[in-house]
Amino acid sequence: MAFLEVKNLNIGFNLSDGFRQAIHNVSFSLKKGETLAIVGESGCGKTISTMSILQLLPENAVIQSGEIVFNDKNLLKLNQKQMQQIRGKKIALIPQDPMTSLNPLYTIGNQLLEIIELHQGLKGKEAFDVAVQALERVKIPDAADKMKAYPHEFSGGMKQRVIIAMALACKAELIIADEPTTALDVTVQAQIMEILREIKTKYNLSLILITHDLGIVAENADKIAVMYAGRIVEYAGVKELFKSPKHPYTKALLNVILDINTDRIETISGQPPSITDDIKGCPFHPRCLNCMEICTKNIPELKKVEDSMAACHLYD
């Protein structure tokens, strides 16, 4: 049974030149304890799709249709007060930039305690102990002393650990990690992902991992949604996708490699479209090596192809 289910989500934006649709019929699901990775180039709709779960969209965004069902509740039918009982407490966000995610004017302890008091109703020593335990779980040494530190005294990796500790302190059941390792060096990236794996297993958490790093995906995800131009173009288990990718865009992503012997980078030709571009047919067809005439006219539907789901006319 799905713990989270996003069904036929459509989102658009009111821009200066009119309304533009950004997310097209996006659907995915997540079971308890599962990790779903959402991958694709910048601007493909990964973050907008997942921020709609928390209702943290820009003011000019409009959710046109769809459902977001979490623990049998359609989140799109809840008001802001009801969402505040879920946001942070049941669903936690690890944002993209740990450098700007913490208030520089308050100590780490102040910020942790504020969240614990808000979502758990604890105060005093009881709240302090919960905060220290959360920091210890993410392997921050001398956790009690670190409660007195300010964010500028922490490295990027330590700040990211604090944000994960906040999710643990609130006993979140679902964590949305938006490019959680982007601003960190390779060694720290590995440490952060190891912590996420450990707490996910220990507390049976569900995880949505937004990333462009397919190496991280291969090691951590159970299933993958590949997005392009606001659509899911392939949806499959991680083993199935890496073994036998179906969509030309997925194949191109897997082929983007750097040859360290020649300094040659294999890239995808062209640029992904913006929401203001008016492309007929499949949005990937201007960059696709398998483009056929039908691709320039009709948008392919996401349908079952062997053990995957793919939106491509190659399988009509």
Side-chain angles (χ1 to χ4, degrees):
M1 182 179 175
F3 171 63
L4 171 76
E5 191 164 9
V6 175
K7 304 176 185 177
N8 301 317
L9 187 65
N10 289 279
I11 303 173
F13 289 88
N14 290 311
L15 303 179
S16 57
D17 61 345
F19 183 80
R20 301 284 183 167
Q21 190 168 350
I23 301 299
H24 306 259
N25 292 316
V26 163
S27 298
F28 55 82
S29 64
L30 192 63
K31 293 178 182 176
K32 189 74 173 168
E34 241 182 0
T35 296
L36 167 69
I38 303 179
V39 304
E41 292 167 285
S42 296
C44 71
K46 305 186 298 290
T47 297
I48 291 296
S49 297
T50 48
M51 289 305 101
S52 64
I53 298 170
L54 292 165
Q55 293 188 28
L56 292 175
L57 295 175
E59 288 186 4
N60 64 333
V62 179
I63 297 179
Q64 300 156 278
S65 61
E67 293 182 357
I68 300 174
V69 180
F70 173 72
N71 272 343
D72 299 324
K73 290 182 181 177
N74 186 355
L75 300 186
L76 298 184
K77 292 186 177 180
L78 303 184
N79 58 37
Q80 279 303 310
K81 188 175 181 180
Q82 291 169 319
M83 274 303 300
Q84 285 173 4
Q85 298 299 311
I86 292 174
R87 192 188 299 128
K89 185 175 183 180
K90 298 292 184 183
I91 305 175
L93 172 66
I94 299 175
Q96 192 168 122
D97 186 2
M99 309 299 178
T100 58
S101 301
L102 296 168
N103 191 323
L105 301 179
Y106 295 92
T107 64
I108 297 300
N110 287 149
Q111 296 180 64
L112 262 170
L113 290 171
E114 181 182 11
I115 287 176
I116 292 166
E117 289 173 6
L118 176 65
H119 292 300
Q120 290 202 46
L122 303 178
K123 294 184 181 296
K125 185 178 185 304
E126 197 174 4
F128 183 87
D129 289 343
V130 169
V132 170
Q133 287 168 12
L135 292 177
E136 288 173 343
R137 286 174 194 152
V138 295
K139 301 179 181 178
I140 290 181
D142 305 317
D145 289 335
K146 291 295 194 297
M147 290 278 286
K148 304 170 190 173
Y150 285 85
H152 74 269
E153 300 176 74
F154 278 29
S155 66
M158 291 286 274
K159 288 177 186 175
Q160 197 68 293
R161 293 183 192 209
V162 171
I163 294 164
I164 297 170
M166 288 177 172
L168 288 176
C170 295
K171 298 183 178 178
E173 299 173 36
L174 168 63
I175 294 178
I176 298 173
D178 187 2
E179 300 276 9
T181 60
T182 295
L184 309 175
D185 65 47
V186 175
T187 303
V188 179
Q189 284 181 17
Q191 292 170 355
I192 293 299
M193 291 312 304
E194 182 183 354
I195 288 170
L196 280 174
R197 279 195 301 271
E198 286 181 6
I199 64 171
K200 174 181 167 288
T201 302
K202 185 173 182 178
Y203 301 103
N204 198 31
L205 302 177
S206 300
L207 177 66
I208 295 177
L209 181 61
I210 305 167
T211 184
H212 62 274
D213 190 325
L214 292 175
I216 287 176
V217 171
E219 292 179 0
N220 295 279
D222 297 300
K223 53 189 179 184
I224 307 175
V226 181
M227 291 194 71
Y228 188 81
R231 303 174 188 273
I232 291 180
V233 296
E234 186 159 356
Y235 189 59
V238 65
K239 291 179 181 178
E240 288 77 15
L241 187 134
F242 277 90
K243 182 180 178 182
S244 180
K246 298 296 185 290
H247 197 280
Y249 179 59
T250 308
K251 295 176 183 178
L253 283 178
L254 292 172
N255 285 331
V256 175
I257 56 169
L258 169 64
D259 188 334
I260 60 174
N261 296 316
T262 63
D263 291 332
R264 183 177 63 85
I265 302 177
E266 188 72 34
T267 61
I268 307 172
S269 63
Q271 295 293 325
S274 73
I275 61 172
T276 57
D277 292 336
D278 187 18
I279 298 177
K280 303 296 183 185
C282 173
F284 187 59
H285 88 257
R287 308 171 74 190
C288 183
L289 300 177
N290 303 102
C291 181
M292 305 175 287
E293 185 178 356
I294 190 174
C295 305
T296 64
K297 298 176 180 178
N298 298 335
I299 297 174
E301 293 183 6
L302 189 67
K303 54 184 174 289
K304 189 167 179 61
V305 181
E306 296 177 11
D307 294 327
S308 304
M309 300 284 288
C312 183
H313 289 303
L314 287 172
Y315 306 104
D316 286 347

